């Protein structure tokens, strides 16, 4: 018996329309048919950019489920995501940010069938940060594609930013998922079936976004529950400051190598399992 494709749940901020178009195409190629997208725009985003993005998603045949504006508090994304999940109803939910392109070893329908058969109510993923060959945070041309613009994949999130690289990529409708889709308390994904989450965050404009995030969280304009998000942004800004505005792709800690969206990196199952099962929250010291 064929399983129903999962509903894709996403809270989308002011990304560039070509990225959103590539993202929709990617998930349609995986077999997703139903998109529940909620837009949230912080106050600095001009009206023309909001309208452009809303028009772009409609041209893709998707009606936004909702649009909100205002501060991007740490809890904002979680609240909006959970409202979308409620609208989606029963079944499996695929959770992905607009810069996250999930890659599975088998077709998505088989991933869900395997999870159902084994009794797993969540499926896990691991971030694979994508960067330009120069390490610089560049723009990209839609005709060339993301693989061409950002050919390197590595482990920047947890080895530089000390962030949680684990993701809950699929969850049953009644499974609660924590902030950032990093965990589902009480549920463990199958560590032998971890998908790659190609993370195309490190593009032109992200440094301004990170500076804005640090400023708003530090001032209290945006509410935070822990300093983790602000600290991660600060580490990236400090790193590129030390390396002439670029990410140091030659640092062996990050394990950058050429990867593509149409096939998993060589040795991915063992690599992902090793990181997924041993990652622990970063222990802060006075030297941080």
């Amino acid at each position: 018996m064929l399983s129903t494709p999962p509903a894709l749940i996403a809270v989308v901020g002011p990304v560039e329309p070509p990225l959103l178009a590539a993202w929709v195409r990617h998930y349609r190629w995986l077999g997703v048919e139903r998109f529940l997208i909620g837009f949230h725009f912080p106050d600095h985003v001009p009206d023309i950019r909001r309208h452009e993005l809303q028009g772009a998603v409609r041209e893709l045949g998707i009606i936004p489920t909702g649009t909100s504006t205002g501060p991007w508090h740490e809890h904002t994304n979680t609240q909006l995501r959970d409202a979308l999940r409620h609208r989606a109803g029963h079944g499996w939910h695929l959770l992905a940010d607009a810069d996250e392109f999930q890659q599975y070893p088998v077709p998505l329908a088989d991933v869900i069938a395997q999870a159902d058969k084994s009794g797993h109510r969540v499926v896990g993923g691991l971030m694979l940060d994508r960067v330009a060959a120069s390490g610089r945070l560049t723009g990209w041309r839609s005709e060339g594609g993301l693989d061409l613009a950002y050919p390197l994949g590595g482990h920047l999130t947890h080895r530089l930013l000390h962030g949680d690289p684990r993701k809950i990529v699929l969850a049953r409708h009644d499974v609660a998922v924590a902030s950032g889709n990093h965990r589902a308390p009480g549920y463990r994904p199958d560590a032998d079936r971890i998908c790659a989450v190609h993370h195309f965050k490190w593009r032109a404009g992200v440094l301004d976004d990170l500076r804005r995030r640090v400023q708003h969280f530090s001032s209290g304009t945006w509410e935070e529950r822990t300093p983790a998000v602000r600290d991660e942004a600060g580490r990236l800004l400090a790193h590129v400051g030390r390396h002439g505005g670029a990410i140091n792709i030659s640092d062996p800690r990050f394990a950058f190598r050429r990867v593509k969206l149409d096939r998993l990196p060589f040795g991915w199952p063992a690599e992902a399992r090793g990181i997924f099962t041993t990652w622990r929250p970063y222990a802060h010291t006075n030297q941080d």
Side-chain angles (χ1 to χ4, degrees):
M1 177 174 160
L2 294 176
S3 60
T4 302
L8 192 156
I9 310 296
V11 179
V12 177
V15 300
E16 60 271 35
L19 181 71
L20 189 62
W23 181 82
V24 169
R25 287 195 301 269
H26 176 78
Y27 284 102
R28 281 181 170 155
W29 177 71
L30 289 185
V32 172
E33 300 172 358
R34 187 181 177 206
F35 292 77
L36 281 84
I37 294 176
F39 285 110
H40 183 76
F41 298 112
D43 294 334
H44 71 273
V45 180
D47 288 344
I48 189 171
R49 191 172 179 194
R50 301 176 191 178
H51 298 325
E52 179 185 39
L53 197 52
Q54 291 166 326
V57 77
R58 286 187 170 90
E59 288 181 5
L60 294 165
I62 299 169
I63 304 301
T65 305
T67 299
S68 60
T69 60
W72 205 310
H73 304 303
E74 188 173 346
H75 60 263
T76 297
N77 193 292
T78 305
Q79 290 179 343
L80 294 174
R81 180 206 65 194
D82 288 348
L84 293 172
R85 294 192 67 195
H86 180 74
R87 290 279 296 271
H90 287 203
W92 283 91
H93 297 167
L94 189 153
L95 309 174
D97 293 341
D99 58 9
E100 294 175 353
F101 289 58
Q102 297 168 10
Q103 182 186 40
Y104 295 88
V106 297
L108 188 55
D110 293 344
V111 172
I112 291 174
Q114 289 167 350
D116 283 332
K117 183 177 180 180
S118 63
H120 285 89
R121 299 182 67 78
V122 296
V123 175
L126 186 76
M127 281 190 183
L128 185 65
D129 292 289
R130 299 290 298 266
V131 302
S134 64
R136 298 199 170 276
L137 288 81
T138 61
W140 65 290
R141 300 176 67 87
S142 56
E143 57 267 28
L146 290 163
D147 273 339
L148 181 64
Y150 309 103
L152 302 183
H155 301 297
L156 192 71
T157 293
H158 66 299
R159 291 183 179 162
L160 173 64
L161 309 186
H162 305 312
D164 190 345
R166 304 168 302 170
K167 284 283 184 171
I168 299 297
V169 293
L170 290 160
R172 293 291 298 176
H173 68 275
D174 54 352
V175 173
V177 178
S179 174
N181 303 333
H182 294 294
R183 297 180 302 110
Y187 298 90
R188 287 182 177 273
D190 184 344
D192 292 318
R193 300 181 186 276
I194 300 298
C195 91
V197 180
H198 292 255
H199 189 211
F200 290 98
K201 180 172 183 173
W202 314 113
R203 314 181 316 279
V206 73
L207 295 182
D208 288 338
D209 289 340
L210 295 179
R211 294 186 187 102
R212 189 178 298 111
R213 181 176 297 181
V214 170
Q215 176 188 355
H216 287 320
F217 280 140
S218 298
S219 68
T221 306
W222 293 1
E223 298 173 9
E224 62 181 8
R225 292 176 177 171
T226 75
V229 174
R230 175 163 43 104
D231 289 348
E232 291 173 28
R235 289 188 188 97
L236 192 285
L237 291 168
H239 176 85
V240 298
R242 292 192 299 269
H243 295 281
I247 293 166
N248 181 14
I249 59 170
S250 63
D251 190 322
R253 292 178 300 161
F254 308 148
F256 279 116
R257 72 279 206 193
R258 290 189 174 269
V259 296
K260 296 186 73 174
L261 279 168
D262 61 359
R263 61 179 179 268
L264 283 171
F266 178 76
W268 178 258
E271 178 181 2
R273 178 186 173 84
I275 296 171
F276 203 94
T277 58
T278 61
W279 186 87
R280 297 292 182 271
Y282 182 69
H284 294 268
T285 70
N286 291 332
Q287 284 72 46
D288 292 341

